[in-house]
Amino acid sequence: MHRRHKPSASEHKRDFAAQGGSLSASHNEMRSFFNFSQLVLSAGHLKTPPVLKHSKVTYFEVEILDVQSKKQICIVDKVPPSSTLLDVKHKFHKACPQWYPSRVGLQLERNGPYLKDSISIQSLAVSSIITLYFTDLGQQVSWTTFFLTEYSGPLLIYLLFYIRLSTIYDQVESMKNFRHPVVHLACFCHCLHYTRHLLETLFVHKFSGGHTPLKNMIKGCAFYWGFTSWIAYYINHPRYTPPSFGHRQVCFAALAFLMCEAGNHFINVALAQQNHSGFKACFPSPTYNPFTWLFLLVSCPNYTYEVGSWISFTVMTQTLPVGIFAFLMVIQMCLWAKKKHKLYLKRFYPEVRRKAAMIPIVF
């Protein structure tokens, strides 16, 4: 008879260890699978990577022709749609270095207006090729240089006549004649007027980098410098006669002059704050400052105060050259005020429609 073999204790242990090892291995596999499934669930749905699409950018070609001969000067290629006309001028300057951007005038039509530098190229495009006409605007100067040159001349010229140079007046006659107080007051008022203009040009007015032809500065300097020489010659002449009504006339006119100068300054400050504020553009409204209350009646009170200054100076000095200069200034200021009033009507119609341009109820 065969006797059943009983496993020994050592074999029992080996079988148990083998079964425990297989159980632990399967347990570890289950745990790793569970951890992986939890990771997938926490990460969300698996997304396929996005397919990169190659965006096609359309570039423009700007053909620049001479306005007179219609001959092609150059072609500015690869102009992005986001470019402005100023960017085109810079590229045109690289192709033709003799014409820098401020000297270049570009038009859509030969007899059309000059396009602004801030205009977008995409707004001009009808097709991928844009044709523009070029005009040489000549030598240009910045607006800051223009006003500083125009206003510094009268300030220095008047002082040369005030000290009565021997090359201008007879020294013997100058020493004999007594200077009336209005001569000193007129020098103070005249210098105050142009000093205010110079300081406002530097610290109040903000110019957007624009330019103007050099010939305009020459004409402006000839006008202001020439009239200043004529005015200063008569007022500072040894034979100058004081105003007819004496000190009352002088004091009243001087007070009106100072008030107009103060009003002009406060109006310019208000306009500068309105033009460069971060809020929505609106027509300046009067404040607690009484000099700004003129905004209730006219749309260009700075021109009103400017004219008032020269009329007061005419009454104070009672000289013909000052009167002629004041008359010309009234005409010029009226033309500027009417032009600016039309622009205000387009931008701020409800607020400006009942206002006059420069003089209340007139113009």
Side-chain angles (χ1 to χ4, degrees):
M1 294 179 63
H2 295 285
R3 187 177 293 178
R4 183 180 295 177
H5 178 71
K6 293 183 179 180
S8 62
S10 60
E11 291 175 351
H12 220 26
K13 289 181 180 179
R14 281 198 304 269
D15 294 336
F16 183 79
Q19 290 178 1
S22 62
L23 289 174
S24 63
S26 63
H27 183 69
N28 290 334
E29 290 176 0
M30 291 295 294
R31 180 176 295 179
S32 62
F33 177 78
F34 177 78
N35 292 335
F36 177 75
S37 64
Q38 291 295 323
L39 178 63
V40 171
L41 291 175
S42 63
H45 299 287
L46 293 176
K47 296 182 179 180
T48 57
V51 179
L52 296 178
K53 295 181 179 180
H54 298 282
S55 59
K56 186 177 181 181
V57 180
T58 303
Y59 291 95
F60 295 102
E61 289 186 357
V62 180
E63 181 186 25
I64 300 179
L65 308 179
D66 184 74
V67 71
Q68 299 294 336
S69 61
K70 293 185 180 181
K71 293 182 178 179
Q72 185 186 93
I73 299 177
C74 75
I75 293 180
V76 180
D77 56 352
K78 294 184 179 181
V79 179
S82 60
S83 299
T84 61
L85 198 68
L86 183 60
D87 299 329
V88 174
K89 288 184 178 182
H90 282 292
K91 292 185 177 182
F92 177 63
H93 173 58
K94 290 182 180 180
C96 304
Q98 67 270 28
W99 292 308
Y100 50 90
S102 61
R103 188 168 181 166
V104 176
L106 297 177
Q107 305 160 275
L108 273 177
E109 300 175 356
R110 295 183 66 187
N111 297 324
Y114 293 113
L115 301 173
K116 294 183 179 180
D117 292 344
S118 59
I119 193 170
S120 174
I121 289 298
Q122 194 169 12
S123 63
L124 303 175
V126 179
S127 62
S128 60
I129 300 177
I130 304 172
T131 302
L132 298 177
Y133 294 94
F134 160 75
T135 301
D136 184 9
L137 300 178
Q139 187 74 21
Q140 302 285 302
V141 293
S142 65
W143 282 110
T144 303
T145 304
F146 176 87
F147 287 115
L148 289 179
T149 306
E150 191 176 70
Y151 295 143
S152 60
L155 184 64
L156 299 175
I157 291 173
Y158 197 97
L159 291 175
L160 292 177
F161 283 90
Y162 176 74
I163 62 178
R164 290 183 176 178
L165 295 176
S166 58
T167 55
I168 302 175
Y169 303 109
D170 181 64
Q171 285 297 104
V172 178
E173 193 175 17
S174 299
M175 295 297 294
K176 288 181 179 179
N177 292 337
F178 171 75
R179 291 196 187 191
H180 193 275
V182 71
V183 176
H184 305 290
L185 183 60
C187 180
F188 170 78
C189 292
H190 192 275
C191 293
L192 176 66
H193 178 78
Y194 284 102
T195 301
R196 178 185 63 80
H197 274 302
L198 291 173
L199 294 178
E200 287 178 352
T201 301
L202 293 174
F203 304 108
V204 177
H205 300 299
K206 304 296 181 181
F207 304 103
S208 58
H211 295 77
T212 185
L214 178 63
K215 60 181 180 181
N216 289 347
M217 189 181 75
I218 295 175
K219 291 190 294 185
C221 290
F223 177 77
Y224 280 98
W225 294 16
F227 263 102
T228 300
S229 302
W230 192 24
I231 291 169
Y233 176 80
Y234 273 86
I235 296 177
N236 296 286
H237 199 279
R239 297 184 182 181
Y240 168 75
T241 55
S244 303
F245 296 97
H247 293 288
R248 289 185 178 181
Q249 178 178 344
V250 172
C251 293
F252 173 78
L255 181 61
F257 178 87
L258 295 176
M259 291 180 64
C260 290
E261 287 295 304
N264 203 339
H265 172 70
F266 288 120
I267 293 297
N268 288 331
V269 171
L271 291 174
Q273 293 176 351
Q274 179 262 338
N275 291 333
H276 300 277
S277 61
F279 303 99
K280 183 180 179 181
C282 59
F283 188 76
S285 58
T287 62
Y288 62 88
N289 188 343
F291 289 104
T292 62
W293 295 350
L294 202 56
F295 274 121
L296 295 172
L297 301 176
V298 297
S299 60
C300 303
N302 53 328
Y303 296 148
T304 308
Y305 282 123
E306 182 76 13
V307 168
S309 295
W310 285 111
I311 293 177
S312 302
F313 194 76
T314 303
V315 175
M316 181 176 60
T317 57
Q318 195 174 318
T319 53
L320 180 63
V322 182
I324 296 175
F325 182 75
F327 176 74
L328 295 178
M329 290 297 290
V330 169
I331 297 175
Q332 182 63 74
M333 295 296 164
C334 285
L335 295 176
W336 286 347
K338 289 178 66 176
K339 184 178 180 180
K340 187 170 289 187
H341 186 71
K342 291 182 179 179
L343 296 177
Y344 285 154
L345 285 175
K346 294 180 180 179
R347 296 181 61 188
F348 319 109
Y349 174 72
E351 304 171 73
V352 186
R353 63 189 179 93
R354 293 186 178 181
K355 302 179 189 296
M358 189 183 76
I359 303 175
I361 312 175
V362 182
F363 301 110

